[in-house]
Amino acid sequence: ETGVTQSPTHLIKTRGQQVTLRCSSQSGHNTVSWYQQALGQGPQFIFQYYREEENGRGNFPPRFSGLQFPNYSSELNVNALELDDSALYLCATTPGLGVIQTQYFGPGTRLLVL
Amino acid sequence: KQEVTQIPAALSVPEGENLVLNCSFTDSAIYNLQWFRQDPGKGLTSLLLIQSSQREQTSGRLNASLDKSSGRSTLYIAASQPGDSATYLCAVPGNQFYFGTGTSLTVIP
């Protein structure tokens, strides 16, 4: 198992609500990426944070936002939830920037929007 | 934009059989390629990372190969076991991590 943890493990929300998901980085990892994985699909990149700044974003609307804290933990916030936001949300951390780095994934948060 | 494809989408084999999973990518200018395993409803576990300068990487019963020029990678699993049942994903990094849709493997005892 990696040292990456995510909370909560499961969450049920209704359409229009807001949600905050949390990720704690593996020790020494200052870069965190968030992914959305719909059922039967591969993970889709949402955004990446490096040293508390956003460092790249995928094709997701602005209602998906994030934060990274000085201890490198991170939050993913989703406003105005839609039914299609139902998915497994994964965070992954790396010890720094650079494409040679492998990513260490957390167990994910499963979000259901009703 | 990088596109990653995995074939087959699902595979069912009897225990003990050797098998090959395929991954193809459209942009051959990659730094590395990574194979992951995902158990149902769980996160991703890294299996093998192949650097662009390598052609193969081995870990136990797993062997991954990389052919950048043809845009292909294969994951070979020897002597499959029921515990190998999972979804296998390949991914390549760029300005983000690009994943395939995965191959769902079932090993029948």
Side-chain angles (χ1 to χ4, degrees):
Chain A
E1 287 192 2
T2 71
V4 182
T5 60
Q6 291 186 244
S7 63
T9 56
H10 296 82
L11 202 52
I12 300 174
K13 291 286 189 177
T14 56
R15 195 170 48 182
Q17 284 189 310
Q18 177 267 343
V19 68
T20 297
L21 311 181
R22 295 178 175 83
C23 172
S24 293
S25 293
Q26 182 155 322
S27 178
H29 288 194
N30 58 19
T31 304
V32 62
S33 302
W34 285 91
Y35 296 84
Q36 179 195 67
Q37 186 179 22
L39 199 62
Q41 301 297 315
Q44 298 293 313
F45 176 73
I46 303 175
F47 45 57
Q48 181 185 76
Y49 277 82
Y50 170 66
R51 292 187 174 180
E52 303 177 57
E53 297 287 333
E54 187 176 295
N55 183 58
R57 188 178 184 93
N59 190 27
F60 281 82
R63 60 188 185 84
F64 286 78
S65 63
L67 280 174
Q68 187 179 31
F69 300 99
N71 66 355
Y72 303 134
S73 65
S74 176
E75 286 183 355
L76 164 64
N77 298 291
V78 187
N79 294 322
L81 284 167
E82 300 177 359
L83 298 180
D84 285 349
D85 296 334
S86 296
L88 180 68
Y89 288 85
L90 298 163
C91 74
T93 72
T94 59
L97 291 179
V99 294
I100 64 171
Q101 308 277 9
T102 188
Q103 296 201 347
Y104 297 84
F105 282 82
T109 293
R110 184 162 296 282
L111 172 65
L112 178 61
V113 182
L114 301 176
Chain B
K1 179 189 170 185
Q2 179 74 270
E3 292 186 7
V4 182
T5 306
Q6 290 187 247
I7 296 174
L11 183 63
S12 184
V13 300
E15 182 178 0
E17 194 163 294
N18 302 326
L19 58 101
V20 174
L21 307 180
N22 298 290
C23 171
S24 61
F25 45 94
T26 54
D27 185 350
S28 62
I30 63 171
Y31 292 91
N32 61 53
L33 184 143
Q34 197 163 358
W35 282 93
F36 292 87
R37 169 185 172 137
Q38 186 174 33
D39 293 294
K42 304 294 186 183
L44 277 64
T45 301
S46 179
L47 296 174
L48 290 164
L49 171 68
I50 313 176
Q51 300 292 353
S52 61
S53 58
Q54 298 176 311
R55 291 191 64 86
E56 283 190 7
Q57 190 70 252
T58 298
S59 176
R61 294 181 295 106
L62 305 180
N63 176 277
S65 67
L66 176 63
D67 184 344
K68 281 181 57 178
S69 61
S70 67
R72 294 181 181 178
S73 176
T74 61
L75 179 67
Y76 174 83
I77 303 177
S80 58
Q81 303 171 357
D84 295 331
S85 298
T87 296
Y88 291 81
L89 294 149
C90 65
V92 294
N95 56 349
Q96 59 172 278
F97 232 51
Y98 296 94
F99 283 88
T101 53
T103 294
S104 177
L105 173 65
T106 302
V107 180
I108 303 167

